[in-house]
């Protein structure tokens, strides 16, 4: 857990956030994440995404998500968007990206399999904040706590066990393009629903039907196989 500092740390986090971002909206979810980042003593001027020795990259979650990520990767070919699955501790299990420029940016900040992006290590970010809050989040640009991450726009959604509702991990979409936050979130919600391992007690096909329902509820542009060329152009 974060180590609490004396005084009103939430007000301190809000003041620091406003100073760094000049964002008058100051969403409570983001400010609360900045508060946790301060209490974890994350350094905003340097990035520390540790590599986990012998990470289990072949977990049930990773196996369940792989076919979906492969299909999504084909649709997003050559677009500057990465698809990422993490475990519940924020350790990256799988990353798909075909855009050379974005690959370079992601490697530079070590957003790659085996590295941990929990808030306790890198502060406010899509993956860590979705896991810490248990809610879908968009973290855009200067809303990131660590300066090196502020060129990215990320939408992340927690992945829950289909029957126990326990936290399994997160699905994250990351881009360096602006003005894509809403569509990233719609797409991330759909893919996260499809990525859950199927429950043995669920009727055969129930998970697929649920995922299809979620997909159909997404905005039409998010369902369109050509949505990315519209959003990212």
């Amino acid at each position: 857990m974060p180590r609490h500092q004396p005084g009103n740390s939430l007000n301190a986090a809000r003041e620091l956030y406003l100073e760094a971002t000049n964002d008058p909206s100051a969403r409570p979810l983001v400010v609360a994440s900045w508060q946790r980042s301060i209490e974890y003593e994350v350094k905003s001027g340097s990035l520390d995404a540790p590599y986990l020795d012998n990470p289990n990259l072949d977990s049930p979650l990773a196996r369940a998500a792989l076919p979906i990520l492969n299909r999504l990767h084909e649709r997003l070919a050559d677009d500057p968007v990465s698809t990422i699955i993490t475990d519940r501790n924020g350790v990256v299990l799988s990353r798909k990206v075909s855009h050379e420029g974005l690959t370079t940016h992601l490697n530079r900040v070590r957003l790659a399999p085996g590295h941990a992006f929990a808030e306790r290590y890198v502060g406010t970010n899509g993956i860590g904040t979705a896991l810490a809050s248990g809610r879908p989040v968009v973290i855009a640009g200067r809303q990131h706590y660590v300066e090196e991450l502020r060129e990215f726009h990320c939408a992340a959604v927690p992945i829950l066990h289909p029957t126990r509702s326990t936290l399994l991990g997160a699905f994250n979409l990351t881009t360096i393009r602006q003005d894509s936050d809403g569509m990233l979130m719609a797409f991330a919600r759909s893919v996260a629903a499809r990525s859950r391992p199927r429950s043995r007690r669920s009727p055969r096909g129930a998970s697929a039907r649920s995922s299809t329902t979620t997909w159909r509820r997404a905005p039409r542009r998010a369902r369109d196989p050509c949505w990315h060329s519209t959003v990212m152009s």
Side-chain angles (χ1 to χ4, degrees), residues 38 44 63 97 106 110 125 152 212 214:
I38 293 170
S44 62
R63 291 195 299 271
V97 57
L106 295 175
R110 299 183 288 284
N125 72 98
F152 299 104
T212 301
T214 302

Side-chain angles (χ1 to χ4, degrees), residues 8 27 156 184 207:
N8 192 328
R27 286 187 295 146
L184 286 178
S207 178

